[in-house]
Amino acid sequence: MAASHASTAAAFLAAYDSQLRTDAEVAGALSVTPLGPLCLATFDGGRGFVTYADLGGAGAARIADWVDLALAHFRADPRVDAVEWKTRAHDAAPGLHSALLEQGFVPDDPESIMIGAATDLVADVTLPPGVQLRRITAPADVRAVSAMQDIAFGGEVSAVRAEDLLRRLECRDGTELWAAEHQGSFVSAGRLEPVAGTDFAGIWGGATLAAWRGRGIYRALTAERARSALRLGKTLIHSDSTGYSRPILERYGLLKVSTITPYNWTREA
């Protein structure tokens, strides 16, 4: 059983590396500049982003040079206020952590890369009385769902996040927003983001109000998004998960295949 589990995780990781890195990550960028094996992408909203398929066996000195040059590239662009450098635990990247710290990047908490077969996430779940699932498209409903998610995550309701979500849904890249509703109020929600040209769809933004947790609602939403992914021809589901959500997704059938640590740099005023 353990060997089968390990071989499945290895196959998932190979699919992740071959399908979800570089091109899939920078789709929609305003510009993408190559630097050795790196992709330096600039997105709307002043966000810079660095990713790569692998570092080609480079040593610490070469990697430190790439970090210097990448940051210089973004510093020279007045549109860019912040840069995220995405690292993976399974990459060979000697000296990268130290080089990023040296240039003022700050690491976030690590997140688990979770992958599973979409068919394994499909399940029939009995919802609490009066709770219904539906896909959300109307702007007023999108804003209401965004506000619910802000509250569920313990933050302030943000009109900026709501408008960002609306733009994401309006750009017709296949992103879907699904929610659970009870007596006209939203109590749980999450997105499905199919990745063009791959076998993957991502599940993101899962949030449930505290009073409704532990009642099968998020499990039902995950199953519904998996069904939608299968209808779109996507056979694999992926998500980057915190320590809180990882056990939930593991119970649903996803496997941890590696770890991501984002490093962030912010331009001083």
Side-chain angles (χ1 to χ4, degrees):
M1 183 67 73
S4 175
H5 186 287
S7 63
T8 301
F12 285 161
L13 181 58
Y16 172 90
D17 281 339
S18 65
Q19 297 186 44
L20 290 184
R21 299 184 68 163
T22 61
D23 290 350
E25 296 176 283
V26 300
L30 299 177
S31 64
V32 180
T33 301
L35 173 63
L38 308 182
C39 291
L40 313 182
T42 300
F43 287 89
D44 195 16
R47 183 170 69 91
F49 181 71
V50 181
T51 189
Y52 43 87
D54 63 69
L55 294 175
R62 176 61 60 85
I63 289 173
D65 286 342
W66 285 333
V67 173
D68 293 347
L69 292 169
L71 186 56
H73 166 82
F74 288 116
R75 282 186 180 275
D77 188 342
R79 298 174 298 175
V80 176
D81 299 317
V83 178
E84 177 187 344
W85 189 300
K86 197 169 188 177
T87 72
R88 282 90 167 181
H90 63 285
D91 286 342
L96 179 57
H97 170 76
S98 298
L100 289 169
L101 295 182
E102 181 71 22
Q103 291 298 327
F105 283 83
V106 178
D108 275 352
D109 292 334
E111 297 181 346
S112 298
I113 302 173
M114 307 294 294
I115 299 178
T119 52
D120 290 345
L121 272 68
V122 173
D124 293 325
V125 181
T126 300
L127 289 165
V131 174
Q132 295 181 324
L133 306 184
R134 63 182 176 97
R135 184 177 170 187
I136 305 302
T137 57
D141 287 343
V142 172
R143 293 186 179 95
V145 166
S146 181
M148 181 278 296
Q149 291 175 310
D150 289 337
I151 293 168
F153 286 129
E156 297 291 330
V157 173
S158 169
V160 172
R161 277 191 291 270
E163 294 307 312
D164 180 66
L165 180 56
L166 270 171
R167 284 194 297 271
R168 188 176 304 182
L169 295 171
E170 290 170 353
C171 74
R172 302 189 184 281
D173 63 356
T175 297
E176 298 176 1
L177 179 63
W178 288 83
E181 188 176 20
H182 180 262
Q183 295 181 355
S185 296
F186 296 111
V187 300
S188 182
R191 300 190 311 278
L192 177 75
E193 297 184 5
V195 183
T198 76
D199 298 321
F200 284 91
I203 53 173
W204 308 103
T208 303
L209 292 178
W212 291 91
R213 292 171 189 164
R215 302 173 68 177
I217 297 173
Y218 188 69
R219 179 68 185 93
L221 272 173
T222 302
E224 198 61 37
R225 287 181 289 171
R227 291 187 185 97
S228 186
L230 289 166
R231 288 193 293 268
L232 295 170
K234 305 301 180 182
T235 58
L236 295 173
I237 299 294
H238 76 104
S239 186
D240 297 341
S241 302
T242 63
Y244 174 80
S245 60
R246 175 188 166 187
I248 298 172
L249 293 178
E250 284 179 328
R251 289 197 299 271
Y252 296 173
L254 272 67
L255 300 178
K256 177 182 177 180
V257 300
S258 188
T259 301
I260 285 176
T261 302
Y263 287 71
N264 294 290
W265 173 87
T266 303
R267 189 189 297 273
E268 294 182 0

